[in-house]
Amino acid sequence: EVQLVESGGGSVLAGGSLRLSCVVHEWTYARYCMGWFRQVEEEERDGVANIASDGSIGYADFAKGRFTISRDDGANTLYLQMDGLKPEDTAMYYCAADKFHYGCAQTVGRSQRFDYWGRGTQVTVFS
C-alpha cells in the first residue's frame, strides 16, 4: 500500500502564500503521475494540478499563474506552492498518486485515475 502524507496547510490572510508538501512512501515514486486536489465540505473534489514523471504539468484554470506544482524525486516529495491566495481557495487539499503516467498532464481533475490518496491538509484563507 502506497502512503501519502500531506503537510504545510494553515491559515493565512488573502494575498498570502503557503507551500504544501506530500511525502510518498513508495520506492517507485519517480515513475508516478502525481496530482493535487481540493475539496470544500459537501462539494465535489476539484483537481488543482498534475505533474508527470517526465515533468510535464497541467493546471486547472483557477490555479494558473498563482499555484506551482513541483516534485523532488530524490526526496519522494510533491509540492504545491500557492501564492496570491484568495478566500475561495479555502479547502482541504489532497495529494494523489497514479502508478501509470500516461496522459498525466492532460487529465487534471480526473480523480478516478488516481490509485492512492493522502488524508489531506486544511488551507484557510481569511479576507
Side-chain angles (χ1 to χ4, degrees):
E1 181 74 14
V2 177
Q3 290 188 323
L4 289 71
V5 181
E6 302 97 335
S7 63
S11 299
V12 296
L13 291 174
S17 299
L18 284 173
R19 188 192 197 203
L20 307 184
S21 299
C22 171
V23 176
V24 183
H25 298 276
E26 167 59 35
W27 70 276
T28 57
Y29 161 74
R31 305 176 193 172
Y32 281 39
C33 168
M34 299 297 300
W36 285 102
F37 287 77
R38 69 185 190 182
Q39 187 172 24
V40 177
E41 227 174 281
E42 298 182 0
E43 294 186 11
E44 287 190 9
R45 192 169 290 190
D46 291 329
V48 178
N50 287 2
I51 184 167
S53 56
D54 64 359
S56 56
I57 290 172
Y59 290 101
D61 286 344
F62 67 81
K64 292 176 182 176
R66 297 192 300 127
F67 294 1
T68 304
I69 189 172
S70 61
R71 62 192 296 164
D72 181 344
D73 291 344
N76 277 28
T77 303
L78 175 74
Y79 300 101
L80 184 68
Q81 176 67 40
M82 303 188 294
D83 300 315
L85 283 162
K86 304 175 182 179
E88 52 264 42
D89 294 319
T90 295
M92 185 72 79
Y93 283 72
Y94 299 88
C95 66
D98 177 7
K99 59 190 173 191
F100 298 107
H101 62 85
Y102 181 77
C104 180
Q106 293 75 36
T107 54
V108 175
R110 197 171 295 176
S111 59
Q112 57 268 38
R113 75 165 292 159
F114 290 95
D115 305 302
Y116 308 104
W117 293 82
R119 294 189 174 185
T121 185
Q122 177 68 36
V123 171
T124 302
V125 185
F126 296 101
S127 58

